[in-house]
PDB file of all heavy atoms in Angstrom:
ATOM      1  N   CYS A  16       5.859  -1.935 -21.730  1.00 96.00           N
ATOM      2  CA  CYS A  16       6.971  -2.814 -21.987  1.00 96.00           C
ATOM      3  C   CYS A  16       7.743  -3.024 -20.698  1.00 96.00           C
ATOM      4  O   CYS A  16       8.052  -4.206 -20.328  1.00 96.00           O
ATOM      5  CB  CYS A  16       7.941  -2.243 -22.969  1.00 96.00           C
ATOM      6  SG  CYS A  16       9.419  -3.145 -23.361  1.00 96.00           S
ATOM      7  N   LEU A  17       8.021  -1.988 -19.919  1.00 95.00           N
ATOM      8  CA  LEU A  17       8.833  -2.172 -18.648  1.00 95.00           C
ATOM      9  C   LEU A  17       7.974  -2.916 -17.638  1.00 95.00           C
ATOM     10  O   LEU A  17       8.518  -3.720 -16.875  1.00 95.00           O
ATOM     11  CB  LEU A  17       9.249  -0.794 -18.204  1.00 95.00           C
ATOM     12  CG  LEU A  17      10.228  -0.120 -19.072  1.00 95.00           C
ATOM     13  CD1 LEU A  17      10.640   1.257 -18.404  1.00 95.00           C
ATOM     14  CD2 LEU A  17      11.514  -0.946 -19.329  1.00 95.00           C
ATOM     15  N   GLU A  18       6.675  -2.681 -17.643  1.00 94.00           N
ATOM     16  CA  GLU A  18       5.824  -3.438 -16.690  1.00 94.00           C
ATOM     17  C   GLU A  18       5.912  -4.900 -16.910  1.00 94.00           C
ATOM     18  O   GLU A  18       5.851  -5.725 -15.968  1.00 94.00           O
ATOM     19  CB  GLU A  18       4.383  -2.868 -16.725  1.00 94.00           C
ATOM     20  CG  GLU A  18       4.129  -1.565 -16.173  1.00 94.00           C
ATOM     21  CD  GLU A  18       2.753  -1.021 -16.383  1.00 94.00           C
ATOM     22  OE1 GLU A  18       1.862  -1.717 -16.872  1.00 94.00           O
ATOM     23  OE2 GLU A  18       2.552   0.144 -15.995  1.00 94.00           O
ATOM     24  N   ALA A  19       6.120  -5.336 -18.137  1.00 95.00           N
ATOM     25  CA  ALA A  19       6.258  -6.734 -18.464  1.00 95.00           C
ATOM     26  C   ALA A  19       7.599  -7.273 -18.121  1.00 95.00           C
ATOM     27  O   ALA A  19       7.744  -8.497 -17.799  1.00 95.00           O
ATOM     28  CB  ALA A  19       5.985  -6.953 -19.958  1.00 95.00           C
ATOM     29  N   LEU A  20       8.618  -6.426 -18.133  1.00 94.00           N
ATOM     30  CA  LEU A  20       9.997  -6.921 -17.933  1.00 94.00           C
ATOM     31  C   LEU A  20      10.460  -6.762 -16.485  1.00 94.00           C
ATOM     32  O   LEU A  20      11.282  -7.618 -16.044  1.00 94.00           O
ATOM     33  CB  LEU A  20      10.984  -6.059 -18.791  1.00 94.00           C
ATOM     34  CG  LEU A  20      10.872  -6.253 -20.314  1.00 94.00           C
ATOM     35  CD1 LEU A  20      11.739  -5.258 -20.986  1.00 94.00           C
ATOM     36  CD2 LEU A  20      11.183  -7.643 -20.692  1.00 94.00           C
ATOM     37  N   VAL A  21       9.965  -5.858 -15.772  1.00 85.00           N
ATOM     38  CA  VAL A  21      10.501  -5.623 -14.424  1.00 85.00           C
ATOM     39  C   VAL A  21      10.294  -6.792 -13.458  1.00 85.00           C
ATOM     40  O   VAL A  21      11.191  -7.083 -12.662  1.00 85.00           O
ATOM     41  CB  VAL A  21       9.905  -4.361 -13.785  1.00 85.00           C
ATOM     42  CG1 VAL A  21      10.111  -4.287 -12.317  1.00 85.00           C
ATOM     43  CG2 VAL A  21      10.463  -3.145 -14.511  1.00 85.00           C
ATOM     44  N   PRO A  22       9.204  -7.625 -13.538  1.00 89.00           N
ATOM     45  CA  PRO A  22       9.179  -8.796 -12.694  1.00 89.00           C
ATOM     46  C   PRO A  22      10.351  -9.734 -12.990  1.00 89.00           C
ATOM     47  O   PRO A  22      10.860 -10.330 -12.026  1.00 89.00           O
ATOM     48  CB  PRO A  22       7.816  -9.422 -13.072  1.00 89.00           C
ATOM     49  CG  PRO A  22       6.982  -8.211 -13.537  1.00 89.00           C
ATOM     50  CD  PRO A  22       7.943  -7.342 -14.213  1.00 89.00           C
ATOM     51  N   GLY A  23      10.782  -9.923 -14.172  1.00 90.00           N
ATOM     52  CA  GLY A  23      11.849 -10.795 -14.536  1.00 90.00           C
ATOM     53  C   GLY A  23      13.100 -10.188 -13.948  1.00 90.00           C
ATOM     54  O   GLY A  23      14.039 -11.006 -13.510  1.00 90.00           O
ATOM     55  N   LEU A  24      13.277  -8.924 -13.929  1.00 85.00           N
ATOM     56  CA  LEU A  24      14.429  -8.225 -13.345  1.00 85.00           C
ATOM     57  C   LEU A  24      14.418  -8.408 -11.868  1.00 85.00           C
ATOM     58  O   LEU A  24      15.531  -8.836 -11.289  1.00 85.00           O
ATOM     59  CB  LEU A  24      14.394  -6.720 -13.763  1.00 85.00           C
ATOM     60  CG  LEU A  24      15.498  -5.860 -13.330  1.00 85.00           C
ATOM     61  CD1 LEU A  24      16.793  -6.278 -14.017  1.00 85.00           C
ATOM     62  CD2 LEU A  24      15.222  -4.455 -13.724  1.00 85.00           C
ATOM     63  N   SER A  25      13.372  -8.267 -11.199  1.00 84.00           N
ATOM     64  CA  SER A  25      13.216  -8.446  -9.755  1.00 84.00           C
ATOM     65  C   SER A  25      13.442  -9.883  -9.332  1.00 84.00           C
ATOM     66  O   SER A  25      14.043 -10.191  -8.307  1.00 84.00           O
ATOM     67  CB  SER A  25      11.800  -7.994  -9.258  1.00 84.00           C
ATOM     68  OG  SER A  25      11.628  -6.614  -9.527  1.00 84.00           O
ATOM     69  N   ALA A  26      13.053 -10.803 -10.222  1.00 88.00           N
ATOM     70  CA  ALA A  26      13.146 -12.254  -9.838  1.00 88.00           C
ATOM     71  C   ALA A  26      14.559 -12.803 -10.191  1.00 88.00           C
ATOM     72  O   ALA A  26      14.871 -13.948  -9.876  1.00 88.00           O
ATOM     73  CB  ALA A  26      12.140 -12.999 -10.680  1.00 88.00           C
ATOM     74  N   GLY A  27      15.424 -11.975 -10.804  1.00 87.00           N
ATOM     75  CA  GLY A  27      16.788 -12.426 -11.144  1.00 87.00           C
ATOM     76  C   GLY A  27      16.908 -13.164 -12.489  1.00 87.00           C
ATOM     77  O   GLY A  27      17.865 -13.752 -12.783  1.00 87.00           O
ATOM     78  N   LEU A  28      15.840 -13.134 -13.296  1.00 90.00           N
ATOM     79  CA  LEU A  28      15.854 -13.807 -14.544  1.00 90.00           C
ATOM     80  C   LEU A  28      16.502 -12.949 -15.651  1.00 90.00           C
ATOM     81  O   LEU A  28      16.994 -13.526 -16.639  1.00 90.00           O
ATOM     82  CB  LEU A  28      14.460 -14.183 -14.982  1.00 90.00           C
ATOM     83  CG  LEU A  28      13.696 -15.100 -14.033  1.00 90.00           C
ATOM     84  CD1 LEU A  28      12.234 -15.231 -14.465  1.00 90.00           C
ATOM     85  CD2 LEU A  28      14.356 -16.474 -13.912  1.00 90.00           C
ATOM     86  N   ILE A  29      16.535 -11.687 -15.457  1.00 92.00           N
ATOM     87  CA  ILE A  29      17.122 -10.757 -16.343  1.00 92.00           C
ATOM     88  C   ILE A  29      18.215  -9.975 -15.601  1.00 92.00           C
ATOM     89  O   ILE A  29      17.949  -9.519 -14.440  1.00 92.00           O
ATOM     90  CB  ILE A  29      16.111  -9.699 -16.827  1.00 92.00           C
ATOM     91  CG1 ILE A  29      14.958 -10.435 -17.592  1.00 92.00           C
ATOM     92  CG2 ILE A  29      16.683  -8.637 -17.762  1.00 92.00           C
ATOM     93  CD1 ILE A  29      13.774  -9.539 -17.909  1.00 92.00           C
ATOM     94  N   ARG A  30      19.394  -9.884 -16.158  1.00 91.00           N
ATOM     95  CA  ARG A  30      20.469  -9.215 -15.555  1.00 91.00           C
ATOM     96  C   ARG A  30      20.240  -7.630 -15.366  1.00 91.00           C
ATOM     97  O   ARG A  30      20.321  -7.094 -14.322  1.00 91.00           O
ATOM     98  CB  ARG A  30      21.803  -9.369 -16.335  1.00 91.00           C
ATOM     99  CG  ARG A  30      22.976  -8.612 -15.631  1.00 91.00           C
ATOM    100  CD  ARG A  30      24.273  -8.745 -16.395  1.00 91.00           C
ATOM    101  NE  ARG A  30      24.222  -9.551 -17.617  1.00 91.00           N
ATOM    102  CZ  ARG A  30      25.227 -10.181 -18.057  1.00 91.00           C
ATOM    103  NH1 ARG A  30      26.385 -10.074 -17.546  1.00 91.00           N
ATOM    104  NH2 ARG A  30      25.060 -10.944 -19.147  1.00 91.00           N
ATOM    105  N   ASP A  31      19.863  -6.989 -16.484  1.00 91.00           N
ATOM    106  CA  ASP A  31      19.485  -5.597 -16.459  1.00 91.00           C
ATOM    107  C   ASP A  31      18.767  -5.214 -17.703  1.00 91.00           C
ATOM    108  O   ASP A  31      18.700  -5.873 -18.694  1.00 91.00           O
ATOM    109  CB  ASP A  31      20.793  -4.734 -16.325  1.00 91.00           C
ATOM    110  CG  ASP A  31      21.836  -4.954 -17.396  1.00 91.00           C
ATOM    111  OD1 ASP A  31      21.638  -5.836 -18.244  1.00 91.00           O
ATOM    112  OD2 ASP A  31      22.869  -4.334 -17.332  1.00 91.00           O
ATOM    113  N   VAL A  32      18.032  -4.094 -17.487  1.00 95.00           N
ATOM    114  CA  VAL A  32      17.291  -3.509 -18.573  1.00 95.00           C
ATOM    115  C   VAL A  32      17.928  -2.143 -18.801  1.00 95.00           C
ATOM    116  O   VAL A  32      17.961  -1.339 -17.924  1.00 95.00           O
ATOM    117  CB  VAL A  32      15.806  -3.387 -18.286  1.00 95.00           C
ATOM    118  CG1 VAL A  32      15.031  -2.653 -19.459  1.00 95.00           C
ATOM    119  CG2 VAL A  32      15.106  -4.737 -18.072  1.00 95.00           C
ATOM    120  N   VAL A  33      18.344  -1.916 -20.038  1.00 96.00           N
ATOM    121  CA  VAL A  33      19.053  -0.649 -20.335  1.00 96.00           C
ATOM    122  C   VAL A  33      18.182   0.069 -21.324  1.00 96.00           C
ATOM    123  O   VAL A  33      17.844  -0.366 -22.463  1.00 96.00           O
ATOM    124  CB  VAL A  33      20.427  -0.871 -20.974  1.00 96.00           C
ATOM    125  CG1 VAL A  33      21.089   0.421 -21.256  1.00 96.00           C
ATOM    126  CG2 VAL A  33      21.303  -1.762 -20.013  1.00 96.00           C
ATOM    127  N   VAL A  34      17.774   1.299 -21.002  1.00 97.00           N
ATOM    128  CA  VAL A  34      16.957   2.122 -21.897  1.00 97.00           C
ATOM    129  C   VAL A  34      17.866   3.156 -22.508  1.00 97.00           C
ATOM    130  O   VAL A  34      18.544   3.897 -21.688  1.00 97.00           O
ATOM    131  CB  VAL A  34      15.776   2.795 -21.105  1.00 97.00           C
ATOM    132  CG1 VAL A  34      15.063   3.755 -21.998  1.00 97.00           C
ATOM    133  CG2 VAL A  34      14.828   1.722 -20.593  1.00 97.00           C
ATOM    134  N   VAL A  35      18.048   3.199 -23.806  1.00 95.00           N
ATOM    135  CA  VAL A  35      18.904   4.121 -24.409  1.00 95.00           C
ATOM    136  C   VAL A  35      17.988   5.189 -25.015  1.00 95.00           C
ATOM    137  O   VAL A  35      17.194   4.975 -25.920  1.00 95.00           O
ATOM    138  CB  VAL A  35      19.709   3.427 -25.567  1.00 95.00           C
ATOM    139  CG1 VAL A  35      20.613   4.401 -26.227  1.00 95.00           C
ATOM    140  CG2 VAL A  35      20.516   2.216 -25.002  1.00 95.00           C
ATOM    141  N   ASP A  36      18.070   6.369 -24.447  1.00 93.00           N
ATOM    142  CA  ASP A  36      17.148   7.456 -24.821  1.00 93.00           C
ATOM    143  C   ASP A  36      17.847   8.474 -25.749  1.00 93.00           C
ATOM    144  O   ASP A  36      18.949   8.935 -25.520  1.00 93.00           O
ATOM    145  CB  ASP A  36      16.717   8.188 -23.571  1.00 93.00           C
ATOM    146  CG  ASP A  36      15.668   9.213 -23.903  1.00 93.00           C
ATOM    147  OD1 ASP A  36      14.467   8.809 -24.299  1.00 93.00           O
ATOM    148  OD2 ASP A  36      15.923  10.429 -23.743  1.00 93.00           O
ATOM    149  N   ALA A  37      17.182   8.821 -26.860  1.00 92.00           N
ATOM    150  CA  ALA A  37      17.690   9.686 -27.860  1.00 92.00           C
ATOM    151  C   ALA A  37      17.045  11.022 -27.758  1.00 92.00           C
ATOM    152  O   ALA A  37      16.613  11.607 -28.785  1.00 92.00           O
ATOM    153  CB  ALA A  37      17.362   9.052 -29.222  1.00 92.00           C
ATOM    154  N   GLY A  38      17.035  11.624 -26.562  1.00 91.00           N
ATOM    155  CA  GLY A  38      16.659  12.937 -26.324  1.00 91.00           C
ATOM    156  C   GLY A  38      15.100  13.133 -26.257  1.00 91.00           C
ATOM    157  O   GLY A  38      14.583  14.124 -26.722  1.00 91.00           O
ATOM    158  N   SER A  39      14.418  12.245 -25.556  1.00 92.00           N
ATOM    159  CA  SER A  39      13.024  12.362 -25.436  1.00 92.00           C
ATOM    160  C   SER A  39      12.636  13.614 -24.690  1.00 92.00           C
ATOM    161  O   SER A  39      13.333  14.111 -23.795  1.00 92.00           O
ATOM    162  CB  SER A  39      12.561  11.150 -24.622  1.00 92.00           C
ATOM    163  OG  SER A  39      12.604   9.946 -25.311  1.00 92.00           O
ATOM    164  N   THR A  40      11.434  14.126 -25.032  1.00 93.00           N
ATOM    165  CA  THR A  40      10.937  15.255 -24.373  1.00 93.00           C
ATOM    166  C   THR A  40       9.785  14.948 -23.427  1.00 93.00           C
ATOM    167  O   THR A  40       9.216  15.799 -22.826  1.00 93.00           O
ATOM    168  CB  THR A  40      10.518  16.391 -25.414  1.00 93.00           C
ATOM    169  OG1 THR A  40       9.544  15.828 -26.250  1.00 93.00           O
ATOM    170  CG2 THR A  40      11.688  16.899 -26.123  1.00 93.00           C
ATOM    171  N   ASP A  41       9.442  13.671 -23.397  1.00 95.00           N
ATOM    172  CA  ASP A  41       8.432  13.234 -22.493  1.00 95.00           C
ATOM    173  C   ASP A  41       9.102  12.593 -21.282  1.00 95.00           C
ATOM    174  O   ASP A  41      10.237  12.860 -21.042  1.00 95.00           O
ATOM    175  CB  ASP A  41       7.424  12.140 -23.179  1.00 95.00           C
ATOM    176  CG  ASP A  41       8.156  10.900 -23.595  1.00 95.00           C
ATOM    177  OD1 ASP A  41       9.358  10.729 -23.315  1.00 95.00           O
ATOM    178  OD2 ASP A  41       7.571  10.057 -24.266  1.00 95.00           O
ATOM    179  N   GLN A  42       8.377  11.844 -20.475  1.00 94.00           N
ATOM    180  CA  GLN A  42       8.978  11.287 -19.237  1.00 94.00           C
ATOM    181  C   GLN A  42       9.491   9.877 -19.389  1.00 94.00           C
ATOM    182  O   GLN A  42       9.633   9.136 -18.413  1.00 94.00           O
ATOM    183  CB  GLN A  42       7.879  11.250 -18.111  1.00 94.00           C
ATOM    184  CG  GLN A  42       7.509  12.695 -17.618  1.00 94.00           C
ATOM    185  CD  GLN A  42       6.556  13.403 -18.587  1.00 94.00           C
ATOM    186  OE1 GLN A  42       5.755  12.747 -19.290  1.00 94.00           O
ATOM    187  NE2 GLN A  42       6.745  14.704 -18.721  1.00 94.00           N
ATOM    188  N   SER A  43       9.874   9.460 -20.569  1.00 94.00           N
ATOM    189  CA  SER A  43      10.458   8.134 -20.845  1.00 94.00           C
ATOM    190  C   SER A  43      11.634   7.805 -19.943  1.00 94.00           C
ATOM    191  O   SER A  43      11.677   6.829 -19.287  1.00 94.00           O
ATOM    192  CB  SER A  43      10.883   7.946 -22.252  1.00 94.00           C
ATOM    193  OG  SER A  43       9.768   8.071 -23.153  1.00 94.00           O
ATOM    194  N   ARG A  44      12.543   8.753 -19.845  1.00 93.00           N
ATOM    195  CA  ARG A  44      13.756   8.610 -19.048  1.00 93.00           C
ATOM    196  C   ARG A  44      13.425   8.437 -17.577  1.00 93.00           C
ATOM    197  O   ARG A  44      13.992   7.510 -16.906  1.00 93.00           O
ATOM    198  CB  ARG A  44      14.661   9.773 -19.275  1.00 93.00           C
ATOM    199  CG  ARG A  44      15.999   9.687 -18.576  1.00 93.00           C
ATOM    200  CD  ARG A  44      16.826  11.012 -18.765  1.00 93.00           C
ATOM    201  NE  ARG A  44      18.143  10.854 -18.338  1.00 93.00           N
ATOM    202  CZ  ARG A  44      18.525  10.784 -17.054  1.00 93.00           C
ATOM    203  NH1 ARG A  44      17.629  10.846 -16.091  1.00 93.00           N
ATOM    204  NH2 ARG A  44      19.772  10.598 -16.722  1.00 93.00           N
ATOM    205  N   ASP A  45      12.625   9.319 -17.078  1.00 95.00           N
ATOM    206  CA  ASP A  45      12.256   9.206 -15.650  1.00 95.00           C
ATOM    207  C   ASP A  45      11.512   7.934 -15.304  1.00 95.00           C
ATOM    208  O   ASP A  45      11.764   7.289 -14.264  1.00 95.00           O
ATOM    209  CB  ASP A  45      11.382  10.488 -15.270  1.00 95.00           C
ATOM    210  CG  ASP A  45      12.164  11.777 -15.370  1.00 95.00           C
ATOM    211  OD1 ASP A  45      13.381  11.746 -15.227  1.00 95.00           O
ATOM    212  OD2 ASP A  45      11.533  12.740 -15.590  1.00 95.00           O
ATOM    213  N   LEU A  46      10.656   7.568 -16.159  1.00 95.00           N
ATOM    214  CA  LEU A  46       9.912   6.250 -15.952  1.00 95.00           C
ATOM    215  C   LEU A  46      10.888   5.114 -15.807  1.00 95.00           C
ATOM    216  O   LEU A  46      10.763   4.247 -14.982  1.00 95.00           O
ATOM    217  CB  LEU A  46       8.955   6.006 -17.101  1.00 95.00           C
ATOM    218  CG  LEU A  46       8.293   4.637 -17.096  1.00 95.00           C
ATOM    219  CD1 LEU A  46       7.298   4.489 -15.921  1.00 95.00           C
ATOM    220  CD2 LEU A  46       7.686   4.308 -18.411  1.00 95.00           C
ATOM    221  N   ALA A  47      11.856   5.040 -16.755  1.00 95.00           N
ATOM    222  CA  ALA A  47      12.795   3.926 -16.824  1.00 95.00           C
ATOM    223  C   ALA A  47      13.660   3.893 -15.473  1.00 95.00           C
ATOM    224  O   ALA A  47      13.827   2.907 -14.836  1.00 95.00           O
ATOM    225  CB  ALA A  47      13.749   4.006 -17.976  1.00 95.00           C
ATOM    226  N   LEU A  48      14.111   5.046 -15.025  1.00 95.00           N
ATOM    227  CA  LEU A  48      14.855   5.153 -13.766  1.00 95.00           C
ATOM    228  C   LEU A  48      13.971   4.763 -12.561  1.00 95.00           C
ATOM    229  O   LEU A  48      14.425   3.970 -11.766  1.00 95.00           O
ATOM    230  CB  LEU A  48      15.344   6.608 -13.577  1.00 95.00           C
ATOM    231  CG  LEU A  48      16.471   7.003 -14.508  1.00 95.00           C
ATOM    232  CD1 LEU A  48      16.748   8.503 -14.345  1.00 95.00           C
ATOM    233  CD2 LEU A  48      17.734   6.185 -14.225  1.00 95.00           C
ATOM    234  N   ASP A  49      12.748   5.174 -12.601  1.00 94.00           N
ATOM    235  CA  ASP A  49      11.852   4.858 -11.505  1.00 94.00           C
ATOM    236  C   ASP A  49      11.534   3.314 -11.400  1.00 94.00           C
ATOM    237  O   ASP A  49      11.284   2.812 -10.275  1.00 94.00           O
ATOM    238  CB  ASP A  49      10.485   5.625 -11.592  1.00 94.00           C
ATOM    239  CG  ASP A  49      10.655   7.080 -11.320  1.00 94.00           C
ATOM    240  OD1 ASP A  49      11.603   7.498 -10.751  1.00 94.00           O
ATOM    241  OD2 ASP A  49       9.681   7.791 -11.620  1.00 94.00           O
ATOM    242  N   MET A  50      11.631   2.646 -12.524  1.00 91.00           N
ATOM    243  CA  MET A  50      11.375   1.229 -12.586  1.00 91.00           C
ATOM    244  C   MET A  50      12.579   0.354 -12.472  1.00 91.00           C
ATOM    245  O   MET A  50      12.562  -0.825 -12.571  1.00 91.00           O
ATOM    246  CB  MET A  50      10.633   0.818 -13.851  1.00 91.00           C
ATOM    247  CG  MET A  50       9.250   1.480 -13.815  1.00 91.00           C
ATOM    248  SD  MET A  50       8.185   0.971 -15.231  1.00 91.00           S
ATOM    249  CE  MET A  50       7.552  -0.566 -14.526  1.00 91.00           C
ATOM    250  N   GLY A  51      13.706   1.043 -12.050  1.00 90.00           N
ATOM    251  CA  GLY A  51      14.932   0.262 -11.800  1.00 90.00           C
ATOM    252  C   GLY A  51      15.830  -0.106 -12.976  1.00 90.00           C
ATOM    253  O   GLY A  51      16.760  -0.913 -12.894  1.00 90.00           O
ATOM    254  N   CYS A  52      15.580   0.579 -14.057  1.00 93.00           N
ATOM    255  CA  CYS A  52      16.368   0.414 -15.292  1.00 93.00           C
ATOM    256  C   CYS A  52      17.589   1.334 -15.303  1.00 93.00           C
ATOM    257  O   CYS A  52      17.564   2.362 -14.735  1.00 93.00           O
ATOM    258  CB  CYS A  52      15.556   0.592 -16.571  1.00 93.00           C
ATOM    259  SG  CYS A  52      14.105  -0.398 -16.639  1.00 93.00           S
ATOM    260  N   ARG A  53      18.601   0.893 -16.064  1.00 95.00           N
ATOM    261  CA  ARG A  53      19.684   1.793 -16.383  1.00 95.00           C
ATOM    262  C   ARG A  53      19.374   2.604 -17.570  1.00 95.00           C
ATOM    263  O   ARG A  53      18.644   2.128 -18.460  1.00 95.00           O
ATOM    264  CB  ARG A  53      20.981   0.992 -16.696  1.00 95.00           C
ATOM    265  CG  ARG A  53      21.512   0.224 -15.503  1.00 95.00           C
ATOM    266  CD  ARG A  53      22.720  -0.582 -15.843  1.00 95.00           C
ATOM    267  NE  ARG A  53      23.614   0.044 -16.759  1.00 95.00           N
ATOM    268  CZ  ARG A  53      24.478  -0.651 -17.590  1.00 95.00           C
ATOM    269  NH1 ARG A  53      24.481  -1.974 -17.543  1.00 95.00           N
ATOM    270  NH2 ARG A  53      25.236   0.047 -18.405  1.00 95.00           N
ATOM    271  N   VAL A  54      19.714   3.889 -17.555  1.00 96.00           N
ATOM    272  CA  VAL A  54      19.438   4.767 -18.677  1.00 96.00           C
ATOM    273  C   VAL A  54      20.706   5.380 -19.290  1.00 96.00           C
ATOM    274  O   VAL A  54      21.589   5.872 -18.548  1.00 96.00           O
ATOM    275  CB  VAL A  54      18.490   5.929 -18.209  1.00 96.00           C
ATOM    276  CG1 VAL A  54      18.226   6.915 -19.405  1.00 96.00           C
ATOM    277  CG2 VAL A  54      17.088   5.316 -17.708  1.00 96.00           C
TER     278      VAL A  54
END
């Protein structure tokens, strides 16, 4: 999902991508931060 959205973020077509995490135990949060999203 983020791989599809990040180009629009980088191009200025999307203001921001906010990932709202409900206590994940995998690396969802870290991935979102690494890809430039707000968490």
Side-chain angles (χ1 to χ4, degrees):
C16 179
L17 295 181
E18 286 173 8
L20 294 172
V21 167
L24 186 61
S25 298
L28 301 172
I29 299 171
R30 179 183 357 205
D31 54 1
V32 177
V33 181
V34 174
V35 181
D36 187 69
S39 293
T40 57
D41 62 6
Q42 290 78 35
S43 296
R44 183 183 191 287
D45 295 333
L46 171 70
L48 289 171
D49 290 345
M50 295 188 81
C52 303
R53 291 178 38 207
V54 175

